Amino acid sequence: FEVHRTRRGFITEERGGLPVTTLARTLLDVSESLGDLELELALDSAQHRNPFLEQELDEAIARVKKRSTPGASRILQLLDVRGGVATESPLETQVRRALRASGLPPPVLQHDLFDDGRYVMRVDFAWLEHKVALHCDGFGWHRRRKQFELDAEQRSTLSAMGWSSVIVTKRVLAGDAWLTQLTHTLKHSHLTTP
């Protein structure tokens, strides 16, 4: 392993008898060397591990001089644009970044849908007023037969509720046909009152 020394103040916690920096502080430190996509992937992963991460990041950034930590402003910008909601997979993070760059209206993330009070499913991205859902299908999650069958059932229910769906996989994300399809679907959807 590698040892790093810093003059910046930081708080440690114990893990397995070893003093380690907090998740927020570690993210702040690596933010200086990560690319934009890698930093957002790290932020999503960290938010899954710690629901109080945003508050702890604010506290960690307040402890250091913002100018002496170039990554601090990058993290603050990301937190601002993301509105406090993390994605649930690297594929979703990449789709979210593409949606931000597309100029399309911002979706609601991780939205639970109900039909007459009965839970139907959580959609990765939803445009409620258009009744359009975007699903990110990673192979690892959807390769199991039970999950495959459940997804088909849930999406059929969504369709019966008047929702349109766009599905993105890693391969589909590599092109831009999915964005064209999503734009077309949003444009031709019947606006509803949420």
Side-chain angles (χ1 to χ4, degrees), residues 3 9 11 35 39 45 68 73 109 133 138 159 161 192:
V3 175
I11 296 173
L39 179 57
S45 177
S68 69
S73 61
L109 274 68
S159 180
M161 292 168 56
T192 62

mmCIF file of all heavy atoms in Angstrom, residues 3 9 11 35 39 45 68 73 109 133 138 159 161 192:
data_model
loop_
_atom_site.group_PDB
_atom_site.id
_atom_site.type_symbol
_atom_site.label_atom_id
_atom_site.label_comp_id
_atom_site.label_asym_id
_atom_site.label_seq_id
_atom_site.Cartn_x
_atom_site.Cartn_y
_atom_site.Cartn_z
ATOM 1 N N VAL A 3 1.582 5.276 1.318
ATOM 2 C CA VAL A 3 1.363 6.225 2.410
ATOM 3 C C VAL A 3 1.365 7.629 1.828
ATOM 4 O O VAL A 3 2.230 7.977 1.028
ATOM 5 C CB VAL A 3 2.456 6.106 3.491
ATOM 6 C CG1 VAL A 3 2.279 7.182 4.563
ATOM 7 C CG2 VAL A 3 2.434 4.720 4.108
ATOM 8 N N GLY A 9 -6.034 19.392 7.748
ATOM 9 C CA GLY A 9 -6.647 18.729 8.888
ATOM 10 C C GLY A 9 -7.648 17.677 8.438
ATOM 11 O O GLY A 9 -8.330 17.853 7.437
ATOM 12 N N ILE A 11 -10.133 14.053 9.981
ATOM 13 C CA ILE A 11 -10.592 13.201 11.073
ATOM 14 C C ILE A 11 -10.492 11.755 10.611
ATOM 15 O O ILE A 11 -10.787 11.435 9.470
ATOM 16 C CB ILE A 11 -12.044 13.540 11.447
ATOM 17 C CG1 ILE A 11 -12.110 14.976 11.986
ATOM 18 C CG2 ILE A 11 -12.607 12.557 12.447
ATOM 19 C CD1 ILE A 11 -13.510 15.478 12.241
ATOM 20 N N GLY A 35 -10.973 11.721 -13.151
ATOM 21 C CA GLY A 35 -11.676 12.384 -14.236
ATOM 22 C C GLY A 35 -13.126 12.623 -13.837
ATOM 23 O O GLY A 35 -13.585 12.124 -12.802
ATOM 24 N N LEU A 39 -15.084 10.513 -10.999
ATOM 25 C CA LEU A 39 -15.473 11.190 -9.754
ATOM 26 C C LEU A 39 -16.969 10.997 -9.487
ATOM 27 O O LEU A 39 -17.366 10.711 -8.359
ATOM 28 C CB LEU A 39 -15.144 12.682 -9.823
ATOM 29 C CG LEU A 39 -15.535 13.506 -8.592
ATOM 30 C CD1 LEU A 39 -14.893 12.949 -7.323
ATOM 31 C CD2 LEU A 39 -15.152 14.969 -8.792
ATOM 32 N N SER A 45 -21.117 5.655 -5.637
ATOM 33 C CA SER A 45 -20.771 4.500 -4.813
ATOM 34 C C SER A 45 -20.705 4.880 -3.337
ATOM 35 O O SER A 45 -21.225 4.172 -2.471
ATOM 36 C CB SER A 45 -19.430 3.925 -5.279
ATOM 37 O OG SER A 45 -19.030 2.863 -4.459
ATOM 38 N N SER A 68 -7.121 25.298 -1.357
ATOM 39 C CA SER A 68 -6.013 24.343 -1.270
ATOM 40 C C SER A 68 -6.445 22.938 -1.672
ATOM 41 O O SER A 68 -5.627 22.039 -1.731
ATOM 42 C CB SER A 68 -5.441 24.323 0.148
ATOM 43 O OG SER A 68 -6.377 23.752 1.048
ATOM 44 N N SER A 73 -14.259 22.066 -5.090
ATOM 45 C CA SER A 73 -15.236 22.766 -5.933
ATOM 46 C C SER A 73 -15.885 21.816 -6.923
ATOM 47 O O SER A 73 -17.072 21.941 -7.236
ATOM 48 C CB SER A 73 -14.594 23.949 -6.645
ATOM 49 O OG SER A 73 -13.547 23.512 -7.483
ATOM 50 N N LEU A 109 -35.326 10.834 -10.527
ATOM 51 C CA LEU A 109 -34.537 9.601 -10.399
ATOM 52 C C LEU A 109 -35.115 8.696 -9.320
ATOM 53 O O LEU A 109 -35.644 9.167 -8.315
ATOM 54 C CB LEU A 109 -33.090 9.935 -10.039
ATOM 55 C CG LEU A 109 -32.154 10.237 -11.205
ATOM 56 C CD1 LEU A 109 -32.500 11.528 -11.886
ATOM 57 C CD2 LEU A 109 -30.723 10.240 -10.719
ATOM 58 N N ALA A 133 -40.725 6.397 -18.873
ATOM 59 C CA ALA A 133 -39.729 5.803 -17.976
ATOM 60 C C ALA A 133 -38.522 5.363 -18.789
ATOM 61 O O ALA A 133 -38.668 4.846 -19.902
ATOM 62 C CB ALA A 133 -40.318 4.612 -17.233
ATOM 63 N N GLY A 138 -28.576 -3.448 -16.713
ATOM 64 C CA GLY A 138 -27.245 -4.033 -16.642
ATOM 65 C C GLY A 138 -27.357 -5.552 -16.691
ATOM 66 O O GLY A 138 -28.276 -6.142 -16.121
ATOM 67 N N SER A 159 -47.015 -0.308 -19.048
ATOM 68 C CA SER A 159 -47.647 -0.053 -20.343
ATOM 69 C C SER A 159 -49.160 0.030 -20.204
ATOM 70 O O SER A 159 -49.807 0.920 -20.771
ATOM 71 C CB SER A 159 -47.258 -1.158 -21.331
ATOM 72 O OG SER A 159 -47.858 -0.931 -22.576
ATOM 73 N N MET A 161 -50.699 1.037 -17.693
ATOM 74 C CA MET A 161 -50.984 2.287 -16.987
ATOM 75 C C MET A 161 -50.804 3.507 -17.894
ATOM 76 O O MET A 161 -50.977 4.640 -17.465
ATOM 77 C CB MET A 161 -50.049 2.419 -15.766
ATOM 78 C CG MET A 161 -50.305 1.413 -14.677
ATOM 79 S SD MET A 161 -48.954 1.374 -13.429
ATOM 80 C CE MET A 161 -48.881 3.073 -12.877
ATOM 81 N N THR A 192 -49.617 14.677 -19.019
ATOM 82 C CA THR A 192 -50.601 14.384 -17.987
ATOM 83 C C THR A 192 -50.346 15.286 -16.794
ATOM 84 O O THR A 192 -49.293 15.890 -16.670
ATOM 85 C CB THR A 192 -50.505 12.916 -17.518
ATOM 86 O OG1 THR A 192 -49.209 12.714 -16.959
ATOM 87 C CG2 THR A 192 -50.740 11.953 -18.654
#
